[in-house]
Amino acid sequence: LIVRSIVLIMLGMAWQGFSVAAPKNEPEITGQALGEVFKAPVAVLASQARLIVYRPQGATADTGLVRVYINGSYHTSLMPTSYSLLCLAPGPVKVDVRQVRRNTGKSDQAGANTEIQLDGGKTVYLSVRNLEGARYGLESVDSAMATEELKTTREQIHALSRVVAAQECKDPAVDPAAKAKTPPSPAAAPSADR
């Protein structure tokens, strides 16, 4: 009887350890939703356009999340004082934000939507503004105002964008293909006078 009790206790301890322990090859989930504080972006390739969508300081925790859709595909869910960026090919883009209802986690149908034109080599800033009646609006903001408003925001990193047309943002100063297309400076060009 004592041996049986000891075996049952040991089995119970092993089972408890098994059910709590995560497999060794699984990544640890930290639950971090926000990343680094905003830094002014570097240039973008002429063949790309950068879109930064953000919720400025005036957004409070009471206002909850807003889901952002690009051309009908889910991009991210923005918390107050957060931002998200993505690069796309130049051209027209439809941006839609939807409020996430607190108790259900479901989002409303199109809360605010707009179509914008993305130009190659440029960054477009869209601010998600709180409106009366717990609604949201999208406002295109110039880079000086956006940079000021973005100073205290952090990058939203908890979700993977499902925007199929999204591209990796490339810095023309680093991208070898962009360097190859850049003509040499006059000082570096060989002179015909020599």
Side-chain angles (χ1 to χ4, degrees):
L1 185 63
I2 294 174
V3 173
R4 185 175 164 195
S5 296
I6 292 172
V7 169
L8 288 175
I9 290 171
M10 290 176 67
L11 283 173
M13 287 171 44
W15 177 256
Q16 184 180 16
F18 175 77
S19 64
V20 172
K24 299 280 186 224
N25 61 351
E26 292 292 319
E28 184 177 329
I29 298 172
T30 62
Q32 293 291 329
L34 298 175
E36 298 294 318
V37 173
F38 178 80
K39 294 176 189 150
V42 296
V44 66
L45 291 177
S47 61
Q48 292 184 319
R50 181 183 295 117
L51 176 63
I52 298 178
V53 183
Y54 69 98
R55 291 184 68 191
Q57 187 67 35
T60 64
D62 297 353
T63 58
L65 296 172
V66 292
R67 289 191 178 130
V68 179
Y69 294 83
I70 307 293
N71 291 333
S73 296
Y74 174 79
H75 173 56
T76 194
S77 296
L78 289 176
M79 296 170 56
T81 66
S82 66
Y83 76 94
S84 183
L85 65 88
L86 77 154
C87 284
L88 300 159
V93 173
K94 291 180 183 174
V95 182
D96 177 31
V97 293
R98 300 175 186 177
Q99 179 181 11
V100 178
R101 288 187 234 135
R102 276 187 173 264
N103 298 334
T104 65
K106 295 181 181 177
S107 58
D108 294 333
Q109 292 301 86
N113 54 49
T114 190
E115 186 167 323
I116 57 172
Q117 178 65 34
L118 297 179
D119 295 325
K122 301 209 175 176
T123 299
V124 172
Y125 298 89
L126 285 179
S127 174
V128 179
R129 303 289 185 181
N130 294 344
L131 303 175
E132 289 185 34
R135 295 188 49 106
Y136 298 95
L138 284 167
E139 180 181 345
S140 181
V141 180
D142 67 68
S143 63
M145 182 176 175
T147 303
E148 184 63 31
E149 290 183 333
L150 282 159
K151 278 183 185 178
T152 58
T153 63
R154 294 176 57 192
E155 186 174 15
Q156 193 80 41
I157 60 172
H158 77 288
L160 293 175
S161 177
R162 286 144 179 100
V163 178
V164 177
Q167 304 173 1
E168 178 186 348
C169 295
K170 295 184 180 175
D171 179 354
V174 177
D175 187 74
K179 283 184 178 179
K181 293 178 186 174
T182 306
S185 65
S191 174
D193 296 342
R194 293 185 194 172

